[in-house]
Amino acid sequence: RSLNESAIAAAQSALMLAPDLADAHSALAFALVRGKMDVRVAREPYEQSRKLGWGDADVLIRYSDYCINVGRVREAEGSTKRALLLDPLNHRVFRLLGLNQLLDGRYHDAIASIEHALAINPKMGGAHAIISLFYFRVGALDKAHEAYDRETFGLFIKTDLSIIDFK
């Protein structure tokens, strides 16, 4: 059994034990997306997690991240703002809000949100990648490259830098 299959099975077991536990629905959905790349099947557990976890910032962050990844940017922002009300010192909420705003074309709001996230946690991964995406979108490729040079999360750095360099 693979690690992904084990994660899905563990989340399903948690749901059998506690069907109203928002984190269990969220964990299942996350495992389905990350492990099987099955965003369609993950939709139901993500929707259920949001419904049951309206008072849990972490559940709402995962739901919002899912919505962004499937193109439901406006819907993601509502859950992100709710997560911000619940946990106003969570740097991940501000990073997600910044990504939401960037994808919605509100660039200056996005940069302000990302800078706030970095003020809370200067070592946070992913923030400089979003700043780089902003500069890429406005055609400031040198600044996009500089932002990526400060990125700490290495998952997409080589790919994204290659795209910037090609452009």
Side-chain angles (χ1 to χ4, degrees):
R1 180 187 259 193
S2 75
L3 185 59
N4 295 330
E5 290 168 341
S6 295
I8 291 168
Q12 289 169 331
S13 293
L15 281 171
M16 288 182 1
L17 294 171
D20 292 332
L21 182 62
D23 267 328
H25 289 277
S26 186
L28 175 60
F30 185 85
L32 288 167
V33 171
R34 296 296 195 257
K36 288 193 167 193
M37 305 301 260
D38 199 338
V39 294
R40 283 186 216 151
V41 174
R43 182 177 183 150
E44 174 57 32
Y46 265 127
E47 295 295 338
Q48 193 66 10
S49 75
R50 185 196 57 78
K51 178 181 168 188
L52 296 170
W54 195 241
D56 185 326
D58 288 326
V59 167
L60 294 172
I61 288 169
R62 288 188 295 270
Y63 176 78
S64 295
D65 185 53
Y66 166 77
C67 286
I68 286 172
N69 286 314
V70 297
R72 294 163 44 192
V73 176
R74 296 281 175 153
E75 193 172 339
E77 189 167 358
S79 293
T80 303
K81 286 183 176 179
R82 172 72 179 166
L84 183 60
L85 288 172
L86 295 169
D87 193 354
L89 298 178
N90 188 324
H91 63 276
R92 293 177 300 127
V93 176
F94 283 98
R95 180 183 59 204
L96 193 57
L97 181 61
L99 181 58
N100 258 314
Q101 293 163 330
L102 178 70
L103 295 174
D104 198 36
R106 293 176 286 142
Y107 298 140
H108 295 292
D109 292 339
I111 293 300
S113 294
I114 296 299
E115 287 175 350
H116 190 83
L118 285 167
I120 296 170
N121 180 359
K123 296 180 181 181
M124 175 185 56
H128 292 289
I130 296 169
I131 293 170
S132 179
L133 180 58
F134 159 73
Y135 285 125
F136 183 82
R137 285 186 167 205
V138 299
L141 300 181
D142 287 342
K143 287 188 176 191
H145 207 289
E146 288 173 20
Y148 251 114
D149 286 341
R150 291 189 307 273
E151 180 56 53
T152 60
F153 184 62
L155 184 59
F156 301 112
I157 290 178
K158 289 184 181 181
T159 305
D160 291 350
L161 282 175
S162 296
I163 292 168
I164 292 168
D165 289 342
F166 177 78
K167 184 78 171 174

